[in-house]
């Protein structure tokens, strides 16, 4: 498929403006980029609470979205993207509001520690700690500890996949569903999608190398399944998944290979590639019609699992 016309307009404007790739910036400048610039207008949610919860090393900021509904509600623990280096609670705010209202679920968005100040496994440890905290405090949140999903985009999709593995390996907590948007699943840059979409489509292969180089303390950490979940020897017993990928995304094959490996392990998986789309399109719902369709697909899948 050709690039979607709505995406083409954005890419041409970025080119005209001379927008540099993230890896050309200093870390502090990369963190100033507004990652929700093309998101739709934020919806009103009945209650939004910013909280600090205990983490393994330091406290973890979270943002809790609660729709107006009778408790107990299901709960979605969400991890923002940004290459484990940039991004924050605001990056996923518009999507988290939509998930709370659309799924009729509490959403807990997690502000895990970022690299390079905090390298692997800091983000995974914070992400798992937040999931455990939500489970242990479900009643106080008005949530049902038996109806927990995890989700994330890009590096946040990596963390959602990893905490699903960690929860299975530790035997706690029970996760019913994993929502993986454009997930990073493997420390490797030799897939067709990394080669075909190396530059010109927003996220570049060199930017992904930059992210990984800052995230990993040492290169062999990239072989750890809690960094590269595609390398986990056994994916059986994991929660069912929705994996959404984009045609013109260096990470396309990461997500699709992970979906296939989940299926081979007997995990129920729905995998959808959106033609003509680029990385992060499901967050850019103010610009892309297909971003809104992906958002609706995610909402419908979550409702089906969490409200059955």
């Amino acid at each position: 498929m050709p690039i979607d016309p709505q995406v083409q307009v954005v890419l041409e404007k970025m080119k005209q403006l001379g927008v540099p790739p993230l890896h050309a910036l200093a870390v502090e400048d990369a963190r100033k980029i507004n990652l929700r610039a093309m998101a739709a207008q934020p919806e009103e949610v009945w209650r939004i609470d910013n909280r600090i919860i205990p983490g393994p090393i330091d406290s973890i900021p979270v943002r809790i979205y609660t729709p107006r509904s009778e408790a107990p509600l299901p709960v979605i623990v969400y991890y923002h993207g940004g290459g484990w280096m940039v991004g924050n609670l605001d990056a996923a705010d518009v999507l988290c509001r939509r998930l709370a209202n659309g799924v009729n679920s509490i959403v807990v968005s997690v502000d895990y520690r970022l690299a390079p100040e905090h390298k692997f496994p800091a983000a995974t440890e914070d992400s798992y700690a937040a999931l455990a905290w939500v489970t242990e405090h479900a009643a106080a949140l008005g949530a049902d500890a038996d109806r927990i999903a995890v989700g994330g985009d890009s590096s946040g999709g990596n963390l959602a996949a990893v905490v699903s593995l960690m929860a299975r390996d530790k035997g706690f907590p029970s996760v019913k569903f994993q929502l993986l948007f454009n997930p990073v699943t493997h420390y490797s840059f030799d897939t067709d999608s990394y080669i075909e979409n190396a530059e010109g489509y927003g996220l570049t292969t060199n930017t992904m190398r930059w992210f990984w180089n800052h995230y990993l303390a040492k290169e062999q950490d990239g072989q750890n399944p809690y960094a590269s979940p595609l390398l986990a020897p056994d994916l059986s017993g994991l929660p069912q998944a929705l994996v959404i990928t984009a045609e013109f995304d260096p990470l396309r094959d990461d997500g699709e290979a992970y979906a296939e490996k989940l299926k081979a392990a007997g995990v129920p998986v729905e995998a959808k590639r959106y033609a003509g789309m680029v990385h992060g399109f499901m967050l850019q719902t103010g610009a892309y019609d297909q971003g809104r369709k992906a958002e609706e697909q995610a909402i419908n899948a979550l409702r089906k699992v969490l409200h059955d």
Side-chain angles (χ1 to χ4, degrees), residues 223-258:
Q223 305 305 306
N224 187 320
Y226 290 167
S228 294
L230 186 64
L231 299 182
D234 177 18
L235 298 184
S236 63
L238 288 172
Q240 70 182 87
L242 170 62
V243 183
I244 288 180
T245 58
E247 181 180 9
F248 294 96
D249 180 1
L251 298 180
R252 181 195 69 209
D253 294 351
D254 268 36
E256 293 175 3
Y258 195 63

Side-chain angles (χ1 to χ4, degrees), residues 21-24 198 202-212:
L22 282 180
H23 67 267
L203 178 68
T204 71
T205 295
N206 283 336
T207 296
M208 281 306 305
R209 290 183 187 274
W210 185 68
F211 286 149
W212 274 110

Side-chain angles (χ1 to χ4, degrees), residues 11 15 28 40 44 53 62 68 70 105 107 144 154 167 172 177 191 250 257 265 275 278 286 303 306:
L11 293 177
K15 191 173 180 180
E28 57 269 26
E44 289 293 325
I53 65 172
V62 297
R68 184 187 289 277
E70 283 190 29
S105 171
V107 177
D144 180 353
S154 193
F172 177 84
F177 191 82
T191 61
V278 292
R303 283 189 71 94
L306 296 178

Side-chain angles (χ1 to χ4, degrees), residues 30-80:
R31 287 178 177 162
K32 294 173 185 173
I33 302 292
N34 181 5
L35 297 181
R36 60 182 237 181
M38 292 192 294
Q41 286 299 306
E43 293 185 354
E44 289 293 325
V45 176
W46 179 59
R47 193 172 77 236
I48 298 177
D49 300 307
N50 289 301
R51 296 270 299 273
I52 301 292
I53 65 172
I57 300 296
D58 205 348
S59 55
I60 304 169
V62 297
R63 185 172 294 166
I64 303 170
Y65 303 78
T66 306
R68 184 187 289 277
S69 193
E70 283 190 29
L73 286 169
V75 58
I76 303 162
V77 182
Y78 195 85
Y79 307 101
H80 68 79

